[in-house]
Amino acid sequence: MARTKQYAVAASGQWTDEEEGRRRLPAGEVHAWEPGRNETVCGLSLSRSQLARFPHVTWVDTFPESGGAADRVKRVCPRCASVAGRRGRDARPRWCSINPRP
């Protein structure tokens, strides 16, 4: 059985949430990032792109409908969302073959 990957977040900015005990949260443009790797899922280098790592924030928390760490997220990378998954109201359903030809 294939193990599902857990993606963290890399973002172009950060802010500190005073209500939750001074927790660092992502801001600006967010990308999916697999901890242990030095690049995002879409292929951007973390150091060259000057992206901040957030290993404590999961990828699902960056979507506005999740109510998690998405308060100051301006843009979700569409390439990362296509690989790591985009779940929410505007997510397209997964492809499935209903009546395949013989």
Side-chain angles (χ1 to χ4, degrees):
M1 180 188 266
R3 195 177 115 207
T4 59
K5 293 185 179 183
Q6 297 295 323
Y7 294 105
V9 176
S12 62
Q14 66 182 5
W15 67 286
T16 305
D17 188 10
E18 301 294 334
E19 294 176 1
E20 293 188 23
R22 298 188 51 85
R23 186 175 158 202
R24 267 185 347 117
L25 294 173
E29 182 175 354
V30 294
H31 296 270
W33 166 63
E34 196 173 348
R37 305 277 317 244
N38 207 15
E39 64 182 8
T40 62
V41 174
C42 65
L44 290 176
S45 173
L46 293 174
S47 60
R48 289 185 183 198
S49 302
Q50 297 180 348
L51 296 174
R53 298 173 178 100
F54 297 91
H56 59 280
V57 178
T58 61
W59 174 247
V60 180
D61 287 339
T62 60
F63 301 125
E65 55 271 2
S66 71
D71 291 342
R72 299 199 183 162
V73 171
K74 300 291 183 201
R75 181 176 182 267
V76 176
C77 174
R79 292 186 294 176
C80 289
S82 69
V83 173
R86 169 79 181 173
R87 297 289 166 245
R89 292 188 314 252
D90 60 341
R92 288 186 287 173
R94 291 184 181 257
W95 182 88
C96 67
S97 178
I98 296 172
N99 191 8
R101 290 189 271 171

